[in-house]
Amino acid sequence: MSYTAEQFLNRIHDDVIADMKQTKILASLTAAQALIESNKGNSGLTTKCNNLFGIKGTYNGEYGEFWTTEYYNGVATKVKAKFRKYPDWKSSIADHSRLFTTSKRYKNLIGCKQYTLACKYVKDDGYATSPTYTQTLINTINTYKLYLWDSEVLGINIEPPKNNPADSKKLPVLKKGSKGEKVMAWQNYLFINGYNPGLIDGKFGQLTEDAVKAYQVSHNLKADGIIGPKTWASTGIDFSK
């Protein structure tokens, strides 16, 4: 079965909530990482190894080998690596939190109640090498309102930071031929929301332009394939960080 984002999140919801109650690792962070790393539960690593988070190594001696992209000095490089193989998704979720609660470098995540801060911590702690990983996590949490999962456990009202429409005017205009972290952030955003931007490589090519146009049509914007102030503002997300 091929999962939509909503179907995937519905399937992992109860296990992620239970995990947060036990480990004090934010449910929003766990769910966002699972959604991104597993391609909504549809990646080869997930379907073959039940590995939702791209955690390398072995699990009870079990593993699978897959090609992956790592960033060295900002340069994307393809490498083949061993990834842990789990009996089920629940085991993958538990092992993900075990990594955070037993490693000193991730201790700042335990008990953290601000998801934006947790997203920064997990990148700074070395979980991922992508330069846009923090913002991709935050965008995903805001898009699917995963902060409400944290509210379920903490018993407090959590709302996303408000995006000031004026801030969108300060962001760069992106179009075919543009390159950089903001392009990659948009490619991630489009991919997570069901549009196909092609490679998530920070290069604004034809597939990215087509995906932007499809996004603009669905949001009643001028479908010119250019990410200007109105397209930035339409997301309701702060891309300025």
Side-chain angles (χ1 to χ4, degrees):
M1 142 175 212
S2 180
Y3 293 96
T4 64
E6 290 76 11
Q7 288 170 334
F8 174 76
L9 291 171
N10 285 337
R11 177 170 170 182
I12 67 171
H13 174 271
D14 291 352
D15 287 335
V16 171
I17 292 296
D19 181 82
M20 180 178 170
K21 290 178 179 178
Q22 180 178 353
T23 66
K24 295 182 172 57
I25 300 298
L26 284 178
S28 60
L29 176 64
T30 300
Q33 286 193 286
L35 184 72
I36 294 165
E37 301 289 351
S38 74
N39 184 21
K40 298 166 282 190
N42 299 315
S43 72
L45 179 57
T46 298
T47 56
K48 295 178 181 178
C49 296
N50 289 316
N51 190 327
L52 297 175
F53 302 94
I55 298 178
K56 297 183 178 70
T58 64
Y59 181 82
N60 294 335
E62 299 292 323
Y63 67 90
E65 286 190 317
F66 295 85
W67 288 99
T68 184
T69 300
E70 299 290 353
Y71 289 83
Y72 301 101
N73 296 321
V75 178
T77 305
K78 287 284 188 180
V79 297
K80 198 169 189 178
K82 289 182 179 180
F83 290 86
R84 300 180 186 184
K85 184 175 182 179
Y86 301 98
D88 49 46
W89 287 10
K90 184 176 182 179
S91 299
S92 180
I93 291 167
D95 193 47
H96 170 263
S97 289
R98 189 178 300 113
L99 172 67
F100 289 166
T101 57
T102 59
S103 175
K104 290 184 179 179
R105 67 173 175 165
Y106 293 116
K107 65 180 181 180
N108 51 8
L109 294 173
I110 303 173
C112 179
K113 297 180 180 179
Q114 299 179 39
Y115 71 89
T116 53
L117 194 56
C119 292
K120 180 180 185 300
Y121 284 162
V122 77
K123 167 63 172 66
D124 291 348
D125 293 343
Y127 187 91
T129 56
S130 169
T132 61
Y133 195 66
T134 293
Q135 194 58 50
T136 298
L137 288 172
I138 293 172
N139 293 350
T140 301
I141 291 171
N142 289 342
T143 297
Y144 296 101
K145 299 182 179 179
L146 298 176
Y147 47 83
L148 296 178
W149 293 25
D150 299 337
S151 295
E152 286 185 53
V153 179
L154 297 173
I156 58 176
N157 184 41
I158 298 176
E159 295 184 355
K162 299 297 183 183
N163 182 37
N164 182 351
D167 291 341
S168 63
K169 296 179 181 179
K170 302 175 184 178
L171 290 163
V173 173
L174 303 177
K175 58 185 178 179
K176 193 173 181 180
S178 297
K179 298 179 181 180
E181 291 188 4
K182 296 300 184 186
V183 173
M184 190 179 290
W186 257 95
Q187 288 172 328
N188 274 303
Y189 178 76
L190 291 165
F191 176 77
I192 290 295
N193 285 280
Y195 304 92
N196 176 23
L199 293 175
I200 300 175
D201 57 3
K203 299 177 182 178
F204 200 128
Q206 186 60 55
L207 285 176
T208 299
E209 182 181 79
D210 292 343
V212 171
K213 287 180 179 178
Y215 169 86
Q216 289 170 327
V217 168
S218 66
H219 287 74
N220 297 314
L221 298 166
K222 180 181 178 181
D224 56 8
I226 299 172
I227 302 172
K230 290 184 179 180
T231 302
W232 283 110
S234 69
T235 67
I237 295 171
D238 184 3
F239 279 94
S240 63
K241 297 180 181 179

